[in-house]
Amino acid sequence: MEKLGWDRPDIILFSGDAYVDHPSFGAAVIGRVLQDAGYKVALVPQPNWRDDLRDFKKLGEPRLFFGVSAGAMDSMVNHYTANRRLRHDDAYTPGGRHGMRPDYPTIVYSKILKELYPDVPVIAGGIEASLRRVAHYDYWQDRLRPSILYDSGADMITYGMGEKTMREIADRLARGERISEITDVPQTVFFSDAKPNEEDIVLHAYEACLKDKRLQAQNFRIVEEESNKYHGKTIWQPTAGRMIRINPMRPPMSSEELDAVYDLPFTRVPHPRYKGKTIPAYEMIRHSVTLHRGCFGGCAFCTISAHQGKFISSRSKDSIIREVKNVTCMDDFKGYISDLGGPSANMYSLGGKNREICEKCSKPSCLHPVVCRNLDTDHSKLLDIYRSVDKIPGIKKSFVGSGVRYDLAMAPCDNASASKANREYIGDLIQNHVSGRLKVAPEHTSDHVLNLMRKPSFSLFKKFKKIFDDINSKFSLRQQLIPYFISSHPGSRLEDMAELALETKDLNFHLEQVQDFTPTPMTLASEIYYTGIHPYTGEKIYTATTEKDKLAQRRMFFWYKREEKEAIKNDLRRIKRFDILKKLF
């Protein structure tokens, strides 16, 4: 600040992550966007909340506001395993060191700042705030919590991708508006003394949901549908005798707007203060390039669409090529792009053929139960990106590290040229862009569990595996297909997991990429876990909730491990599946 000649910053951002000046880190993006708009921006990464709070005081009081983010992922997912056991590392901290942020940093940081500077607006954003914007089930405390706006004491929450929202708020505060007067900015959440309009939606009160889980399930359906609309409605929720107002999501950013963000002068490296220390999350993405935002998969256990939106925003080819060329100039670049991807690797440039139909749609998924007939599935533009990147001098190979939606690439298509392009895409992907292992996510083998997950039948994965194996054989490639699976998902019983074990054994898989279902805020699966009912149908759904039942399900992944054999045998005897026992062992 002294070198820059500032008496004070306009905006001070606090983040639970280490500071990495890379477009994959939200705090860096918001900082660069606000800087580009002409504001003096300071950023405090991983402030110490245990001592005399000097980290919260050292830069003084900003002219406009404090911004708060827990970091690039929910702090509780970051801190705890599916069994609520404390993790020993933190991928977003130098050296992977644990303990550099509190549980719920959004709440902790916001409360500290409001106590120290009660008259300065505090605006919270990022994943943690975004997905806790309404009353939500918190798995780690095993209770329904109110909107994080209430718990944090922040003046405002911003949800979703925040570039345009934060820029608009900053501009209006700079013009002299008070934070309490800014009530019409999309993707903001705040307490309001105004009354809802007739077209607005008023959810069941937080206190009512505490008494009746069915009311919470009803609320979830409304919030999910409105979040997935092109033009959603304003939502209100009574909480603690006041009204929380949730303004609707913005339409997706245009290519020009997205390009402008990625063209900002990111250094793409961690702050010099971390010299000599490895930040694991950065190591994964340092040579990666994001092609698009949003996801129309709508998986029941995933929060991407709740945060980034259902509609895809894609960068222009020119912008992508510019970033790839910048990566080739990095000192440590060895010729390999680790990922040309996005939330789902192959949704680049895709969307509705008739946008008017999309603007009237409230379905959370364009792929389930079947691929929407209005969805353009033509992968030719993505194929062109791959081939253009590979021609850039200095590029030896570009890989796809993000998860591929094989059901999207294999979807029936009326357009002959699109069908041809999609076949070419699958072939080119497998032949030229797999770094030894291709990640895909069938998630389960049981059709009724997959239906609850909003995922396609396992039979489609088998077809994709055959294509993968045939191409590997044809070109003498020694590549692996790595399937991801989830145990204890709502609807999954021990018997379903036993059948999964048998199915994967028959396919000669020794599973590695597996996880026990962890309920996270604002997902359909979490609402089913908490309420016991499906918010869309009202039917009761079984979910494994005890540590014993969850462990028994997870164990089935590892039928091939000697140390698990006897326990699995006992489980199979208990559920009288002697047929599976005989085939497995």
Side-chain angles (χ1 to χ4, degrees), residues 437 480-485 509-515 554 557-558 560-561:
R437 315 173 102 199
Q480 287 182 291
L481 190 62
I482 305 298
Y484 281 58
F485 289 95
F509 281 122
H510 285 192
L511 300 180
E512 303 169 17
Q513 299 293 338
V514 299
Q515 65 181 46
R554 180 179 172 80
F557 288 135
F558 307 113
Y560 57 89
K561 292 187 175 181

Side-chain angles (χ1 to χ4, degrees), residues 517-530:
F517 170 66
T518 305
T520 53
M522 281 200 77
T523 67
L524 172 65
S526 298
E527 295 299 325
I528 296 174
Y529 178 96
Y530 171 63

